[in-house]
Structure formats: structure tokens, C-alpha cells
Amino acid sequence: LLIIINLIGLILFPMVNDLLLLYIIIELQSYSLYIITGVHHKSYNATRGSMLYFVTGGIASIGILLSSYFVYNTVGSCNITDITNYYAIHNASNLFDSLDILVLALIFKMGLAPLHSWSIAVYNYAPTYITGYISIVAKVSILSWIYTNSNLIHSDLLIIVFYLSIIIAAYKPLFQVNFKTILAYSGILNFGYLLLPVCLQDPSYYIYIIQYVITHILIFLCLLASNEFISKPNSQWSPIVNVNQLVIPNKLLSICLILCFFSLIGIPPLPGFYGKFYVIQSLIKYNFTFEAISIVIFSVIATYYYAYVIKQLATNLMIPYNLPINKSLAFVISLLLVFFITYFVYIFNLLDVINIILS
């Protein structure tokens, strides 16, 4: 029931055309996530993560309401169409400043740098399958709304967040051994890349977001499948904590995880390569050359901690025996893996569909 409520908020949020409705729907989504995070109330860490998520989410909600008040005080309406028309007529810079507060509040809720510390903690405290859910759902819906209404947002603000996100998310995990922390920073890095296509309202946004969702679903399904092989689990909710615990006596499962991390690095012909390729191509097309070079540089730096995980997973290929996993989970992973590996076959058809829809 909680996930259904959350999915309703997820679907409705990008279509919101009013700031008050935006607040209501983001709270519909957020409150269900707070409860889902702490659903295992016997787990101290899950309860701790849920409370932290609630407190930080409340701070961001105050920012959304404050921004809505300033906009209503200036425009006399919270309707986004009215706000767009008012700005077009009056060229009101103070209106832009008010909407910047809203964008910062949404960035806070997404957990992008420099407002990211709480999200790293929540990722660690929450049970693994809940971490997988919130790492995809919360960020995708909020960024989709920003993408839809990027004409009302200062591009300079998003560019600053872009640089802070990719710098912090490429550098910080170099000193981490906690697996979920590495994945949390990886999410910040990937959504940092997406901020510039959002500014430009470029179709490369869709290509990148599709590969991000597929890759992370596959990673977390493989993690859930490998939990049963952990001889000394940290807890029943999060058996794997550190990278050195990724001892998986199933070669195909290890290969699947290795392919996912190769995709995050951007190795062709995996989906991550095409995501980065189209983002960089769109940036060069719009003369954002320095930003495109920055993506390449910090992708290379991030390769180090992805390679650290791949090295650990590669040791599993030397294990002489091969233990099976749950058949239902194996079937789902297999279907996703086929889509993942053959992504390059229909990428061009996907682009055509996206362009038709946008036109």
C-alpha cells in the first residue's frame, strides 16, 4: 500500500502545474518513503534512517513553502503557467530568486551536493532493498519536474550544483570501503551529469535516465540475490556492508555485477557508454565544451572506485564451486540482463521514439 501511494506521487509529480499541488504531491511521495525506510521498526538503523530522512525532508519542505509564499506574494498566483507569463511580461528577477529557493529545496530532497550528507547516512541505515528503491524513485521524479520546468530556473544554479556534485562524488568514495556509501556517491555523480541536459532540455536526459534505472535495478537485485551467500551478515536487513564482503559463489551473478559497474564506468557497448556519449554530445552541440571535458575527467577519477569493486567481484570467478540462487529472482535478473546487454541494438529506435514524443 505504501509503495502504491509512493508510485502515485512519483507519476503525478512531473505533471504538476501548481506550486501548492507540488508541495502536496511531494509530501505524498516523501511521507510514504519515510515510513518505508523505517518499516522494519525492530532495526535500530532503519528507524534511525527513517527519522533522519523525516527531519531533513521537513527542512526541504519548509523551503518549498517559503518559495511558494514569495512567488504568490509577487505574482498573485501559484500556477506555473501564470508564473511563466508574469516573468515573460515583467522580467522579474526577484521572482527567479524565489524559485531558486524552491530548486535548492528540491536539490536538498534529491541529496545532491553540497546538500548530500544526509542521503549518504540514510543509504547506509536503510535495509538494502529499501536503499535500492529510494535511490531511484525519489531522485527521478524530482529531476523530471525540474526538467519539465527548466525555463523558470537559473541555469547558473544548476551548473554550480553540477560541478559540486561531480567533484565531491568522484573524490569522496576513493577512501571508502562501505559498499552502500560508494553506491550513494555513484548516484550523486550520475544525477550530477544529468543536470546539464536538464538545463538544455535535451533528449539525452531520457537516454541517460533509462540506463541509470536499468543498471541500478540490476545492481540491487544482484545484491539481494547474493545476500544468502554471506557467512557473517552484518544484520538480517543489510547483510553486506563492506566491499570485501562481496564473496559470491555464483559466477554468473558476479559477472552480472561486473557488467553493471563497467556500464557505470562507461565501457562500450554497455548502456552507460551511450548515456554519457549522448550527454557529452549534447553539451558540445550547445557549446558547453568545458563541462563536457569535466564529465570525462571526473568519470576517469570515479573509475578508480568502480574498479576497486570490480576487482573484488573478479576474485569470485576463481571460486571452484557454483551455488544456485532463487529461481524467481534468477528469472527477473536474466530478463533485465538481456535488455541491459542488448541496449545498444535499439538505442537508435528509442531516440526516434523520444524525438517523436517531444515534437
Side-chain angles (χ1 to χ4, degrees):
L1 180 61
L2 288 170
I3 288 174
I4 289 169
I5 292 168
N6 187 260
L7 289 175
I8 290 169
L10 170 69
I11 294 165
L12 292 178
F13 190 72
M15 299 184 284
V16 169
N17 196 41
D18 190 279
L19 294 182
L20 288 179
L21 279 176
L22 180 145
Y23 174 76
I24 292 167
I25 290 174
I26 201 170
E27 290 307 293
L28 176 71
Q29 180 181 315
S30 298
Y31 273 86
S32 54
L33 280 179
Y34 304 152
I35 300 169
I36 289 169
T37 305
V39 71
H40 297 293
H41 60 276
K42 291 182 180 179
S43 167
Y44 170 74
N45 278 341
T47 308
R48 188 179 176 186
S50 178
M51 288 304 298
L52 178 61
Y53 203 174
F54 172 71
V55 171
T56 52
I59 295 168
S61 298
I62 291 169
I64 294 170
L65 285 176
L66 192 63
S67 173
S68 303
Y69 162 73
F70 286 134
V71 170
Y72 184 80
N73 192 42
T74 305
V75 181
S77 173
C78 286
N79 185 277
I80 291 170
T81 305
D82 294 339
I83 295 166
T84 306
N85 294 335
Y86 183 90
Y87 178 75
I89 295 168
H90 297 88
N91 195 25
S93 59
N94 60 329
L95 179 60
F96 253 34
D97 296 338
S98 303
L99 288 170
D100 286 345
I101 298 172
L102 172 64
V103 175
L104 284 171
L106 293 177
I107 286 168
F108 193 6
K109 275 192 175 285
M110 288 172 65
L112 297 184
L115 309 169
H116 66 286
S117 297
W118 69 269
S119 65
I120 307 297
V122 170
Y123 269 53
N124 278 319
Y125 296 149
T128 302
Y129 73 97
I130 292 172
T131 300
Y133 185 76
I134 64 178
S135 68
I136 298 167
V137 167
K139 293 179 180 178
V140 170
S141 62
I142 294 172
L143 198 64
S144 298
W145 186 86
I146 296 173
Y147 176 83
T148 308
N149 299 282
S150 61
N151 59 312
L152 292 174
I153 298 165
H154 272 135
S155 59
D156 293 344
L157 176 62
L158 292 182
I159 290 171
I160 291 168
V161 176
F162 159 78
Y163 277 115
L164 288 172
S165 295
I166 65 171
I167 291 168
I168 290 172
Y171 171 74
K172 284 274 190 176
L174 297 177
F175 310 99
Q176 289 290 337
V177 294
N178 187 301
F179 189 64
K180 288 206 284 188
T181 300
I182 289 173
L183 287 178
Y185 279 113
S186 174
I188 294 171
L189 186 69
N190 281 276
F191 276 90
Y193 294 154
L194 279 168
L195 288 176
L196 292 181
V198 164
C199 286
L200 303 170
Q201 288 195 321
D202 192 82
S204 60
Y205 166 80
Y206 293 101
I207 299 297
Y208 201 97
I209 207 76
I210 290 168
Q211 71 83 19
Y212 173 85
V213 171
I214 296 166
T215 305
H216 277 74
I217 289 175
L218 203 50
I219 286 173
F220 280 101
L221 283 176
C222 289
L223 281 181
L224 292 174
S226 58
N227 281 343
E228 60 186 277
F229 300 128
I230 305 302
S231 57
K232 294 181 180 178
N234 183 63
S235 72
Q236 67 182 91
W237 299 284
S238 294
I240 297 172
V241 174
N242 296 328
V243 174
N244 61 5
Q245 287 181 285
L246 287 169
V247 180
I248 306 167
N250 186 298
K251 292 180 176 61
L252 289 177
L253 202 58
S254 298
I255 290 169
C256 183
L257 274 170
I258 288 169
L259 286 173
C260 288
F261 281 98
F262 274 140
S263 178
L264 290 174
I265 291 171
I267 303 295
L270 297 173
F273 166 75
Y274 290 98
K276 288 181 182 177
F277 173 76
Y278 283 108
V279 167
I280 292 170
Q281 187 183 56
S282 67
L283 293 179
I284 293 171
K285 183 173 72 175
Y286 290 101
N287 293 321
F288 282 81
T289 310
F290 188 75
E291 285 75 11
I293 293 170
S294 298
I295 287 177
V296 174
I297 291 169
F298 287 103
S299 292
V300 172
I301 295 171
T303 298
Y304 180 85
Y305 62 81
Y306 290 137
Y308 170 57
V309 179
I310 291 169
K311 180 185 175 183
Q312 176 61 40
L313 290 168
T315 59
N316 297 325
L317 304 179
M318 307 302 292
I319 297 174
Y321 51 92
N322 204 37
L323 299 180
I325 63 171
N326 180 277
K327 289 183 179 180
S328 301
L329 192 55
F331 179 71
V332 174
I333 291 172
S334 301
L335 285 179
L336 274 172
L337 189 60
V338 169
F339 181 73
F340 181 81
I341 293 172
T342 58
Y343 187 77
F344 70 95
V345 174
Y346 36 79
I347 183 75
F348 302 108
N349 295 330
L350 191 61
L351 269 173
D352 291 337
V353 171
I354 290 169
N355 287 325
I356 290 167
I357 293 170
L358 293 177
S359 59

